[in-house]
Amino acid sequence: MELTHLFYSFINILNQMSPYILLGFIIAGVLHVFVDPSTMTRHLSGNGWRPVVKAALFGIPLPLCSCGVLPTAVSLRRQGASKAASTSFLIATPQTGVDSIAATYSLLGLPFAIIRPVAALAGAFAGGMAVGRFAPDGDGEVSSGSVAADERPSGFAAKVLASVKYGLVDMVASVGKWLVIGLVVAALITVFVPDSLFTGLSRYPLLAMLAVVLVAVPMYICATGSIPVALSLMMKGLSPGIAFVMLMAGPAANFASIMILSRTQGRRATAIYVGSVVATAIVFGLLIDLLLPRSWFAVGQYSPEAACHVTFGLFDTLCSVLLVALLVYAGIKGKISHNHQHNTTDMTREYKIEGMACPHCKATVEKALNSLEGVESVEVSLADGKAVVTGEADPAKVAEAIRLAGFECEL
């Protein structure tokens, strides 16, 4: 019986989210292809609150995880964005995204969908201003260097196709793993974790929020994948504010990104970054529990017992089938890439790269290496964490290009 509840709970949550997730992926593709990043970068230089706010507003709709946002932030720094603005971008971007906001509305309701980007903006502003004040430019920042221009298709039809490909292929590959993990964790919590455990913890909301932070940061999950986990926590008796901490703290930081951030932004800026994420999540969580009616966050209709009797709609089911097909395709494609073997020659060299965790990271490394003189071809394996470079490029310059892109490299 429990396995049946687990299956129906998983399918029910998937059906609720899939239409909004697919819509968010398509919008993400449009943003990626039709919005020129250099236009945004021009607004992120200089000190003061304006570039900090602009960076947060720029980052909130972008569906990048905390690993994928790092190379983007490094690129913005090298193109002239201030450290305060790039920190604001780093805080706001992984906590939200058009896909996760839409999915939040579908599963958790309108209040959460509104509060989530507002909290991201507040945390990004606070963190960016604090970095500008206590860890200004020049303190532990990356060195400058050239990056390859973002290759964009010409013509409206080509851009539309590129948008669809980026949204439904690249973005699915980027967040698909964490989305599946979030759905599975949510279903497991819903079915197997006893209600009494969370009932006792809910009596101490601040302690519960700190416990969620301790679990969320090493766990790491994307902004979309955190939604079903937060839902399942509320179903077990935890308050909406405690669930909100999971929504904000989980996607914003993980150990790998903190290590890379420490090298590129400096330890002081990294400490401010982590502190801003945690403090904002807890403050907004407490405000939600103190000021907003609990009825606004009702989730009783998603109980596992009721899920067994849900009649699934045709459109929702078709969206779920499409999403699952895209996830399977992304998994097969990644497996083929993982099993691909390279034959080394005198002109081919392999580099071990640390910090890559999504297709955005992979594309960043590829563009950085292809811009080097003497490089004939580049193949980057996300699964293996390796880059195979063919040509006469100086290995030291290859390694430096990888580091400038925001990653660690071993020859």
Side-chain angles (χ1 to χ4, degrees):
M1 182 61 69
E2 285 183 341
L3 290 178
T4 302
H5 287 170
L6 179 64
F7 173 77
Y8 277 99
S9 178
F10 180 89
I11 296 299
N12 188 37
I13 295 174
L14 176 64
N15 270 19
Q16 293 290 330
M17 293 180 66
S18 58
Y20 296 90
I21 293 175
L22 292 173
L23 175 62
F25 282 150
I26 293 174
I27 295 175
V30 172
L31 287 174
H32 176 75
V33 173
F34 284 89
V35 177
D36 188 351
S38 64
T39 301
M40 304 303 300
T41 304
R42 290 197 300 268
H43 296 277
L44 304 183
S45 60
N47 298 315
W49 63 269
R50 287 185 176 85
V52 170
V53 173
K54 289 178 180 178
L57 294 176
F58 175 37
I60 284 175
L62 297 181
L64 293 175
C65 58
S66 63
C67 61
V69 72
L70 286 168
T72 305
V74 171
S75 177
L76 291 175
R77 284 286 291 127
R78 289 163 52 201
Q79 295 181 56
S82 65
K83 184 183 289 188
S86 61
T87 300
S88 176
F89 178 81
L90 280 167
I91 294 174
T93 306
Q95 292 181 331
T96 58
V98 289
D99 57 334
S100 63
I101 293 174
T104 300
Y105 171 73
S106 71
L107 208 60
L108 297 177
L110 183 61
F112 265 135
I114 294 175
I115 297 172
R116 194 173 192 182
V118 171
L121 177 60
F125 179 77
M129 294 300 293
V131 167
R133 174 66 177 84
F134 300 106
D137 291 340
D139 177 24
E141 59 190 70
V142 296
S143 56
S144 60
S146 61
V147 289
D150 189 11
E151 298 180 0
R152 294 174 179 272
S154 58
F156 181 78
K159 287 185 176 180
V160 170
L161 291 176
S163 298
V164 174
K165 178 183 179 298
Y166 180 84
L168 298 184
V169 178
D170 297 339
M171 277 305 305
V172 170
S174 177
V175 306
K177 174 183 176 181
W178 309 112
L179 174 60
V180 172
I181 290 174
L183 289 169
V184 172
V185 169
L188 290 173
I189 291 175
T190 301
V191 174
F192 293 108
V193 176
D195 294 343
S196 58
L197 175 63
F198 292 96
T199 302
L201 193 60
S202 64
R203 299 173 184 173
Y204 310 96
L206 184 57
L207 179 62
M209 290 177 185
L210 292 174
V212 168
V213 169
L214 291 176
V215 172
V217 171
M219 173 185 176
Y220 177 66
I221 195 167
C222 74
T224 302
S226 67
I227 298 169
V229 178
L231 171 66
S232 64
L233 293 177
M234 291 176 62
M235 290 168 56
K236 289 300 180 180
L238 290 180
S239 69
I242 297 173
F244 186 79
V245 173
M246 168 60 74
L247 284 178
M248 304 305 289
N254 62 68
F255 289 147
S257 65
I258 290 173
M259 292 176 61
I260 297 173
L261 188 61
S262 178
R263 184 181 66 83
T264 59
Q265 295 281 83
R267 293 182 179 179
R268 184 177 299 179
T270 302
I272 295 173
Y273 164 81
V274 175
S276 299
V277 169
V278 174
T280 303
I282 291 178
V283 168
F284 270 82
L286 291 173
L287 290 175
I288 288 173
D289 286 344
L290 289 174
L291 302 179
L292 300 182
R294 185 69 177 263
S295 60
W296 287 10
F297 306 95
V299 294
Q301 66 269 32
Y302 296 107
S303 65
E305 292 80 8
C308 295
H309 306 287
V310 170
T311 301
F312 301 125
L314 177 60
F315 177 74
D316 293 345
T317 302
L318 290 176
C319 288
S320 295
V321 170
L322 175 59
L323 180 58
V324 170
L326 292 171
L327 290 169
V328 171
Y329 172 76
I332 294 174
K333 185 178 179 182
K335 186 67 175 179
I336 293 175
S337 176
H338 176 74
N339 293 332
H340 183 66
Q341 300 296 325
H342 304 282
N343 295 321
T344 59
T345 66
D346 292 340
M347 296 183 63
T348 302
R349 193 178 183 96
E350 187 178 88
Y351 300 82
K352 179 66 176 178
I353 303 174
E354 296 182 3
M356 293 192 306
C358 70
H360 184 84
C361 303
K362 176 177 179 289
T364 300
V365 173
E366 288 175 341
K367 288 190 291 185
L369 296 182
N370 280 319
S371 66
L372 292 176
E373 182 179 356
V375 172
E376 296 180 3
S377 66
V378 176
E379 291 191 52
V380 179
S381 172
L382 185 61
D384 297 330
K386 296 179 181 179
V388 177
V389 180
T390 301
E392 299 179 350
D394 185 348
K397 292 184 178 179
V398 172
E400 180 65 14
I402 293 173
R403 295 189 184 102
L404 288 174
F407 305 95
E408 296 291 344
C409 175
E410 296 180 4
L411 298 178

